[in-house]
């Protein structure tokens, strides 16, 4: 049963129909629901179902996540399938921010050399995502081209977030990107890293210095 894409503050109810396609009465012993987002909206159809007759049960879906899964379990005296599982699926209309890559490797640089790379901010959710604020922590890293915020991304849409790496000391450097948005988590983060070392100098020598004729 697919409940579709539902707003987080809403619920939807679907009806499941159980039909006895055999030639003798079918007895249903128990009906259960697994999955926190799914609840029974009617009584379980416990008892006998005559041949070619149907019974129904209503199930309500209230989204908790971007994707919710559950099961409707039916126990009966069906000799071929005494326990039947009906998958339940629903999607919450929730934005989901993906920061790619994570971590971001800026590579190697010399002192005061500037290397440019960047993150991609992508909405992998099922509702519009608003990026409200970005901040990079780390003295050797900077956001080189600040985007105009807030910015709204439709599902599947992405934007580039350029980063500059300009090391001030030799060694390995690590920074953190913080992104504030209207996702349920609120704040997302990703790592950025780089390393600084003197560039090797090519030295040419000849040995021996002279070659006798």
């Amino acid at each position: 049963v697919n409940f579709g894409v539902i707003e987080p503050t809403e619920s939807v109810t679907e009806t499941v129909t159980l039909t006895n396609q055999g030639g003798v009465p079918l007895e249903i012993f128990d009906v259960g629901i697994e999955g926190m987002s799914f609840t029974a909206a009617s009584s379980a159809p416990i008892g006998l179902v005559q041949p070619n007759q149907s019974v129904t049960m209503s199930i309500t879906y209230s989204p908790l996540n971007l994707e919710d899964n559950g099961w409707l379990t039916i126990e009966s005296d069906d000799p071929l399938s005494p326990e039947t599982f009906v998958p339940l699926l629903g999607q919450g209309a929730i934005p989901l921010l993906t920061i790619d890559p994570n971590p971001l490797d800026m590579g190697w640089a010399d002192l005061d050399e500037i290397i440019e790379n960047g993150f991609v901010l992508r909405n992998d959710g099922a509702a519009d995502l608003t990026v409200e604020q970005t901040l990079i922590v780390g003295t050797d890293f900077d956001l080189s081209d600040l985007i105009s915020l807030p910015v709204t991304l439709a599902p599947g849409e992405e934007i580039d977030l350029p980063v500059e790496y300009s090391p001030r000391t030799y060694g390995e450097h690590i920074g953190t990107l913080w992104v504030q948005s209207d996702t349920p988590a609120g704040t997302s983060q990703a790592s950025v890293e780089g390393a600084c070392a003197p560039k090797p100098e090519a030295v040419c020598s000849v040995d021996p210095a002279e070659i006798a004729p």
Side-chain angles (χ1 to χ4, degrees):
V1 181
N2 192 336
F3 292 82
V5 181
I6 307 300
E7 293 291 333
T9 57
E10 298 180 358
S11 298
V12 63
T13 299
E14 296 285 351
T15 299
V16 178
T17 301
L18 310 177
T19 302
N20 179 7
Q21 297 180 336
V24 297
L26 171 73
E27 186 172 4
I28 298 175
F29 302 126
D30 189 31
V31 176
I33 296 177
E34 297 182 14
M36 295 182 61
S37 299
F38 305 94
T39 57
S42 67
S43 58
I46 305 298
L48 288 176
V49 182
Q50 298 300 320
N52 299 318
Q53 297 296 309
S54 299
V55 292
T56 61
M57 181 177 180
S58 297
I59 300 174
T60 297
Y61 167 58
S62 301
L64 294 176
N65 303 289
L66 180 62
E67 184 172 301
D68 296 295
N69 294 279
W71 296 94
L72 174 65
T73 306
I74 305 161
E75 297 180 8
S76 70
D77 62 355
D78 185 335
L80 298 179
S81 183
E83 193 170 29
T84 302
F85 297 94
V86 179
L88 306 175
L89 172 65
Q91 289 182 283
I94 300 170
L96 176 64
L97 174 63
T98 297
I99 305 175
D100 187 43
N102 185 15
L104 171 63
D105 187 357
M106 301 295 290
W108 289 83
D110 204 346
L111 283 178
D112 297 323
E113 180 183 2
I114 298 177
I115 293 181
E116 296 183 348
N117 205 331
F119 292 99
V120 172
L121 307 183
R122 183 173 60 253
N123 181 7
D124 285 330
D128 287 351
L129 164 71
T130 299
V131 177
E132 300 165 349
Q133 188 175 1
T134 59
L135 172 68
I136 196 163
V137 179
T139 57
D140 302 282
F141 305 96
D142 195 15
L143 297 176
S144 59
D145 186 12
L146 294 178
I147 58 178
S148 180
L149 298 176
V151 61
T152 299
L153 303 178
E157 189 176 3
E158 62 184 36
I159 56 172
D160 295 324
L161 190 63
V163 175
E164 285 186 352
Y165 173 48
S166 181
R168 296 166 175 80
T169 58
Y170 290 124
E172 297 182 352
H173 306 108
I174 298 177
T176 303
L177 172 70
W178 294 84
V179 181
Q180 181 73 31
S181 68
D182 63 349
T183 62
T187 302
S188 305
Q189 65 183 75
S191 298
V192 55
E193 54 192 36
C196 178
K199 289 186 177 179
E201 296 182 2
V203 177
C204 181
S205 62
V206 179
D207 186 23
E210 295 183 1
I211 301 176

